[in-house]
Amino acid sequence: MKWGVVRFPGSLDDGDALYAIAEVMGQDARILWHKDESLGGVECILLPGGFSYGDYLRTGAIARFSPIMKSVAKFAADGGLVIGICNGFQILCEAHLIPGALTRNRSLSFICERMWIRVENASTPFTRATKRGDLLRLPIKHGEGLYVAPEDELRQMEERGQVILRYVDADGRESDAANPNGSMRAIAGVANQRFNVFGLMPHPEHAVEPMLGGVDGLKIFQSIAGSAR
Amino acid sequence: MSERPVSLPGEPKVDLEQARAHGLAPDEYRKIEQIIGRTPTYTELGVFSVMWSEHCSYKSSRRHLRKLPSKSELVVQGPGENAGAIDVGDGWAAVFKIESHNHPSFVEPYQGAATGVGGILRDIFTMGARPVASMNSLKFGSFEHPRTRYLLGGVVGGIGGYGNCVGVPTVAGEVMFDAAYNANILVNAFCLGLVRKGEMMSAKARGPGNPVLYVGSATGRDGIHGASMASAEFDKQSEAKRPAVQVGDPFTEKLLIEACLEAGKTGAIVAIQDMGAAGLTSSSSEMASHGGLGIEIDLDKVPLREARLTPYEILLSESQERMLIVAERGREAELKTVFDKWDLHAVVIGHVTEDKRWRMRWRGQIVADIPIGALADDAPLYDRPAAEPEAQPQTKISITEKPGTAKALRALLDSPNIASKKWVYRQYDSIVQSNTVLGPGSDAAVLRIKNSRRAIALKVDSNPRACALDPYLGAVGTVCEAARNVACAGARPVGITNCLNYGNPERPEVMWQFVRGVEGLRDASIAFGAPVVSGNVSFYNETEGHPIPPTPTIAVLGVMIDVSKHVTQFFKNAGDAIAIVRTATPSLAASEYAAIFGIDGGRLGAIDLAREAALIEGLVEGAEQGLIRSAHDVAEGGLAVALAEACFNPRAILGAEVELGRAGNAAAVDFFGEGASTVVLSIAERDAARVESLFAGRGLEFAVIGRVIADPRLKISGTLDEGIAELQRIYEDAIPRRLRGSD
Amino acid sequence: MGILDPQGRAVESSLQSLGFKNVSGVKVGKYILLEVEARTASEARDEAKKMCEALLANPVIEDYRFEVDGE
């Protein structure tokens, strides 16, 4: 699979995503500069974590207007695979490629912590290598990860299976204590109706080497790699 | 051309009074007149006042800092550039330094801490190194002091707010709460970057005629006289000094990191320096003087944030996120292309000259024309009197309360100085750049080097209580502790950076503390073969005549040849033997136990540096041979606390059963004593004999004291039998519960 | 929509502990100043509305209103 990792001014985990995909998994991956409109024929686009444009105005609000995002939107409309991690998730919401919005953590603090994440839907291109109910150990590091959407929309998303990942405790159970940022329904990751665009707050690219704390992130990348059209 | 520089209409008259108002002593002012041969212009007066301030000139400390060893075969860059550099193997050099931002953080904690982080980052990437790790050492007043919570929240918020946004992980640190810092908090920020040997940049200007470029943020009024604020004590007017605090923009800093590193690769950069304290003035004068040349700048070309800045303001501004570059003549456009890509200003504002003058022009007039050496090299160099004070601290420790062992252990685990700092480090991104093998919450941080089997280890330490009792032994002990922590992780200490925080050096007793501290640092550095390649001095940490205790903050860099051999502090397997190795016997002097239960007096024991070095060798060798399953340095709270902490394994809580003292007759000092350079090890039973020979064979005290057990309880000598889960709960909730209580 | 405003809640709680017991329903928002070149206030108003919809506010989580100064 050919991957493109978009780099905005202020992107931080672009290097980490590139390292995970190219070095650890040995796949073909390149950086796509935000000012370019060409996607270079890639098959999956990754919008990485970070503080694009310093999170000015609202997180992701300015990045969504970068020249490359026009091409990303068209790519997604044509069914291409797009994954947005953390700031990437925020950008996808601002660009309306995914419903809802990410707001400030309930605690008002930035949190960097390893979480237990439960897979709610294993039938998507991003989770095919997992099983429903699987627990993934993935780190989060964000100050604005509280996912919100109108109640009606949330209900429909749940019914359609658009809620892909949820925060849970080590036993796989939802609880207030297990929800690090106050996200509605403990939502950690969602997909669009067509299931080709996926946004998640946890960082799979930071869980691909045993020495650095775990390899559960590989399952998400392997799912995508196995979904090449 | 000999145009005479002028003050501008409306500027105050320059005389002794005005000089005094600028913080210059009368003899300093007279020296200035003598050097330039006339009365300085107002702009020149401002410039001298910051360059000759303690913060910029190190006038009270330079003479003593020269005693520090700065050479070894691994040193790639010693003191003299923006940071020091050590060869860490496989073609990589580690560039690192620690710096203080104490005074601004007390006045405006968020921005003070944030700009402290920003400043140290620039010192690293100005050398062409990509910053890969940050650490910090924080000292606040007592937890109960009314201002502490506000300062704690602001400082931690600022470090996280800035550090997280630039993509450099904050991997370790220390936080202390002590009434001694009620009116003078300390914020020391450390940064380390990696650069290929041979690709390091310099700040020495070369090539008369070469253009000088200003890159980064536009200049505003921030921080004017920030350097002189750092050189003065606090008093009731300090609140009104708020406008002098700089405001940082981490997004611009991130762009600057990428742009500078990319620009460095073009080969068009001759020299580069960040604009830190005293902004454009210090960077331009230092770059030229270190190159033995002169510099001329047209201040009209400087990008401004506000329309009407005077030359005085432009030159003294401490606006953040700006760099000064000397470029190869004719290649300015190449550099501009890189900075344009990252949407940063890049403007030619002057050129290097041959005439060894520092000359500033504005609206067609010269407003400053000074011999290049005058600002930095000719700054005053003082040999301030140092005298040991007559009134010594109490030589007896008196414990006023005599708690039982279990109660004492719980109280210590609940003490903010010992308890889990997770509330703090959870707010820091400790994993970005994918190199963090061991992050916060461990003895030393360990970072792997990609495409190499090597790793580096980092630790920052300080011990003001010990230094208050004996500024020499306290400093020696601090270096030993930081080095020992790095060795516990399995890395060999190879270099040191230091931030020396003291009170007013015009007091002989403070100067004595400083000189003894430098001598302690020197002796320990020599003993470990770890030179001091960079550092910082912060004087005037006192309020209304009360200085802080001597606080030399030491950061040690260690290198590991094989990252897979790193060691953590947690017990791993039931059945493993628990052993202690140490260089001396513990004491309650300067201990957390004494601070909580009595009066913190006493005498520090002597330190045998040969034994300290042997301990470090033993730990490194033990780790390299895979013989040590866990190693934890005994610090505040003593052995009992260290044993409990070693049981708090996040993967699986284990227990320990040990004997202390002779025939089960253990005293408080055995459980909670400190200062004996003690390490708690866990070893596979079958390896116990070999590990013993690693240490006993080097003349160190080594004893197996018990075993790791599956039952999650801490059992000591039949005197203590506590559940680990409960102890861990106390340890983890100590700071959160105190913060909740404030709502 | 009943979106959680944790900042508003924190500010409210701080005000109350400072003794302002009669305050409730605190919301924290943003104030943005723009200089718009337009021939009439009505034109400026239209421009402002478009800017709010396109970028300045996120209707999923924010309400907005604006004023035009200086006819």
Side-chain angles (χ1 to χ4, degrees), chain B residues 340-415:
Chain B
D340 281 346
K341 170 186 168 187
W342 292 96
D343 289 316
L344 294 167
H345 291 291
V347 182
V348 173
I349 62 169
H351 60 276
V352 176
T353 69
E354 260 175 329
D355 67 7
K356 303 205 190 201
R357 308 280 308 175
W358 186 78
R359 194 161 36 244
M360 302 290 124
R361 290 182 178 280
W362 191 71
R363 299 207 180 152
Q365 296 171 304
I366 297 185
V367 292
D369 187 345
I370 298 172
I372 201 70
L375 291 175
D377 306 331
D378 291 348
L381 176 64
Y382 292 139
D383 187 5
R384 295 206 189 273
E388 185 169 345
E390 286 177 26
Q392 290 286 16
Q394 282 189 246
T395 48
K396 272 185 133 144
I397 306 160
S398 66
I399 303 299
T400 52
E401 204 192 314
K402 287 208 161 74
T405 312
K407 179 172 177 213
L409 178 59
R410 282 156 179 267
L412 287 164
L413 289 172
D414 182 59
S415 159

Side-chain angles (χ1 to χ4, degrees), chain B residues 142-227:
Chain B
S142 73
F143 217 97
E144 297 67 42
H145 189 264
R147 219 173 136 83
T148 294
R149 258 160 261 244
Y150 163 69
L151 292 168
L152 173 66
V155 167
V156 172
I159 292 173
Y162 203 100
N164 297 341
C165 199
V166 294
V168 179
T170 301
V171 298
E174 54 163 16
V175 186
M176 183 187 195
F177 301 92
D178 192 296
Y181 300 98
N182 280 349
N184 287 89
I185 66 171
L186 299 184
V187 174
N188 295 167
F190 167 99
C191 185
L192 180 144
L194 290 175
V195 62
R196 299 300 290 168
K197 275 169 58 180
E199 287 178 20
M200 221 163 58
M201 310 286 298
S202 158
K204 292 187 171 57
R206 274 187 296 106
N210 276 341
V212 173
L213 269 79
Y214 168 119
V215 306
S217 285
T219 296
R221 289 202 169 82
D222 333 40
I224 287 181
H225 286 305

Side-chain angles (χ1 to χ4, degrees), chain B residues 676-743:
Chain B
S677 298
T678 309
V679 178
V680 173
L681 304 167
S682 69
I683 322 162
E685 281 283 3
R686 64 172 183 272
D687 292 329
R690 282 174 72 192
V691 174
E692 172 149 17
S693 67
L694 270 181
F695 296 108
R698 289 184 157 94
L700 301 164
E701 207 183 309
F702 175 93
V704 172
I705 59 171
R707 282 178 316 126
V708 178
I709 57 181
D711 183 14
R713 301 193 70 77
L714 177 59
K715 303 181 189 183
I716 305 185
S717 299
T719 318
L720 189 81
D721 185 345
E722 297 287 298
I724 296 294
E726 175 61 11
L727 294 179
Q728 189 166 19
R729 192 198 59 76
I730 293 171
Y731 177 79
E732 291 187 342
D733 202 36
I735 289 179
R737 77 170 178 81
R738 284 172 170 81
L739 293 172
R740 278 195 304 269
S742 65
D743 290 322

Side-chain angles (χ1 to χ4, degrees), chain A residues 7-14 16 19 23 33-35 51-54 56 109-115 139-141 180 203 205-206 209-213, chain B residues 161 164-167 249-252 254-255 258 340-343 422-423 425-437 448 450-451 563-564 566 651:
Chain A
R7 172 172 290 160
F8 299 96
S11 287
L12 302 178
D13 302 82
D14 47 332
D16 300 276
Y19 185 80
E23 305 289 323
W33 181 236
H34 74 112
K35 281 190 188 154
F51 283 76
S52 59
Y53 294 96
Y56 291 152
S109 292
F110 184 96
I111 301 174
C112 176
E113 182 95 81
R114 259 171 222 285
M115 301 265 93
I140 58 166
K141 50 195 186 83
H203 287 261
E205 76 282 21
H206 285 288
E209 287 173 276
M211 191 171 56
L212 301 186
Chain B
N164 297 341
C165 199
V166 294
D249 175 7
F251 172 58
T252 300
K254 167 64 176 170
L255 300 182
E258 298 307 323
D340 281 346
K341 170 186 168 187
W342 292 96
D343 289 316
K422 197 163 191 198
W423 180 88
Y425 63 73
R426 248 182 138 212
Q427 299 183 52
Y428 303 150
D429 180 346
S430 56
I431 65 177
V432 66
Q433 295 195 44
S434 301
N435 295 321
T436 309
V437 176
R448 61 101 177 257
K450 291 192 180 79
N451 302 314
V563 64
S564 69
H566 74 271
R651 286 183 207 277

Side-chain angles (χ1 to χ4, degrees), chain B residues 18 41 125 210 240 290 309 329 402 490 521 527 529 531 545 653 666 731:
Chain B
Q18 191 57 236
T41 65
F125 70 83
N210 276 341
H290 291 159
L309 256 65
R329 193 172 192 172
K402 287 208 161 74
L521 171 54
I653 298 180
Y731 177 79

